[in-house]
Amino acid sequence: MKNETNIQKQPLLIHLPKIEDERGNLTFIEENNHIPFDIKRVYWIYDVPGGEQRGGHAFRMQHEFVVALSGSFDVVINDGNIEKRYHLNRSYFGLYIPNGLWRHIDNFSTNAVVMVLSSTSYNETDYIRDFNEYLIFLAHEQ
Ligand code: TYD
């Protein structure tokens, strides 16, 4: 599992199909086509008060794809060495986050809606919620 999970550890911005139409635009996502995993769960975050942040954890196994369905926000990824900030502000692209990366979401606009497609069902034991524990997890992955 160690080597397998180490193959793709970079977040990736993925542009989705956009069907432009004078009646309104349409975008879609197919599992294992536009995103590289089976979709087991969809959840969304909304009504976020100004100045709040969400996340602040890593997943041992779960892969995610994050889309700003409405409004905008920043997804901040930390791999234990480098922190990168991705501004998501359109519903026709999103950020693929492989397992094993620390992330939080901040800088929410008014009416921001975060849609998350997940490769797993909800499982609290998959979360690493303490950054020091995350660094130990990374050390064991090497
Ligand atoms: P959590 O993932 O910790 O939120 P965030 O990382 O955005 O701060 O989830 C918050 C709460 O919601 C936590 O008690 C677990 C629960 N939850 C579920 O029951 N099912 C889910 O699919 C998710 C994502 C969270």
Side-chain angles (χ1 to χ4, degrees):
M1 205 66 219
K2 283 180 184 174
N3 291 333
E4 198 181 304
T5 53
N6 279 342
I7 292 169
Q8 166 64 287
K9 285 294 185 194
Q10 293 299 316
L12 186 65
L13 280 170
I14 297 176
H15 278 254
L16 299 165
K18 182 181 179 192
I19 313 296
E20 296 193 27
D21 191 304
E22 58 194 18
R23 300 168 300 157
N25 299 330
L26 183 152
T27 286
F28 57 94
I29 302 171
E30 292 171 350
E31 59 184 3
N32 293 310
N33 182 1
H34 307 104
I35 56 172
F37 58 84
D38 289 343
I39 301 166
K40 288 278 169 38
R41 178 170 49 122
V42 180
Y43 64 92
W44 48 98
I45 298 168
Y46 53 97
D47 291 349
V48 178
E52 276 296 346
Q53 65 168 258
R54 302 289 310 218
H57 50 65
F59 294 111
R60 299 171 205 280
M61 302 297 295
Q62 180 187 307
H63 299 229
E64 295 182 320
F65 185 67
V66 180
V67 180
L69 276 193
S70 170
S72 65
F73 49 83
D74 291 354
V75 183
V76 183
I77 306 287
N78 188 317
D79 66 2
N81 282 311
I82 294 168
E83 189 167 276
K84 275 194 193 163
R85 181 172 286 272
Y86 298 85
H87 186 60
L88 300 188
N89 62 354
R90 294 284 184 272
S91 54
Y92 53 80
F93 69 84
L95 186 67
Y96 168 62
I97 310 173
N99 63 313
L101 293 171
W102 187 269
R103 61 108 166 132
H104 77 263
I105 307 175
D106 65 16
N107 194 26
F108 289 91
S109 72
T110 305
N111 292 331
V113 178
V114 184
M115 180 180 71
V116 183
L117 309 184
S118 167
S119 67
T120 68
S121 299
Y122 174 71
N123 177 3
E124 183 59 34
T125 65
D126 194 45
Y127 283 73
I128 304 170
R129 293 188 181 273
D130 177 88
F131 194 72
N132 286 326
E133 195 188 320
Y134 172 60
L135 295 177
I136 293 166
F137 163 82
L138 288 179
H140 285 130
E141 263 209 325
Q142 302 307 315

